[in-house]
Amino acid sequence: MKAFKLFFVALAAGLVLLSTDVVMAQCAMCSATVESDAQNGGNETAGLNNGILYLLAMPYIAAAIGGYIWYKKYRRKENVELNMRNEKLHLN
């Protein structure tokens, strides 16, 4: 069963990697404006690239902040002693 799961995951990953296609993820108006501005020597392309990088970084920054807060809240304290009995626990 484990080999089947590994084969299935490898097959799915291979199909995803081999079936890539070039996509144009901008609207026609944005794409035309940026292309004409780049040909005329403008700097709107730098602003568009900075905006894309900003949108790309935000989820990672939010996850890092959440992880840091979680780590600070739930980390184990060093000088805390647990007073537990050495007996076995019988639940019946």
Side-chain angles (χ1 to χ4, degrees), residues 76-86:
R76 190 175 198 172
K77 307 294 185 213
E78 292 182 21
N79 297 329
V80 175
E81 289 188 27
L82 297 175
N83 296 324
M84 297 178 67
R85 297 185 214 166
N86 290 331

Side-chain angles (χ1 to χ4, degrees), residues 87-91:
E87 302 172 3
K88 291 184 178 179
L89 183 62
H90 298 289
L91 296 175

Side-chain angles (χ1 to χ4, degrees), residues 3-79:
F4 177 72
K5 286 181 184 179
L6 182 62
F7 172 74
F8 182 72
V9 169
L11 180 68
L15 288 175
V16 167
L17 291 175
L18 293 175
S19 66
T20 59
D21 192 16
V22 177
V23 294
M24 302 299 285
Q26 293 178 342
C27 66
M29 184 69 113
C30 295
S31 179
T33 303
V34 170
E35 286 177 10
S36 67
D37 187 58
Q39 290 174 355
N40 294 332
N43 60 359
E44 282 185 18
T45 55
L48 181 64
N49 288 338
N50 289 338
I52 291 170
L53 291 176
Y54 176 77
L55 290 173
L56 176 73
M58 284 301 115
Y60 294 106
I61 292 172
I65 290 171
Y68 179 75
I69 292 170
W70 178 74
Y71 171 75
K72 284 296 195 179
K73 187 173 182 181
Y74 292 108
R75 71 182 175 151
R76 190 175 198 172
K77 307 294 185 213
E78 292 182 21
N79 297 329

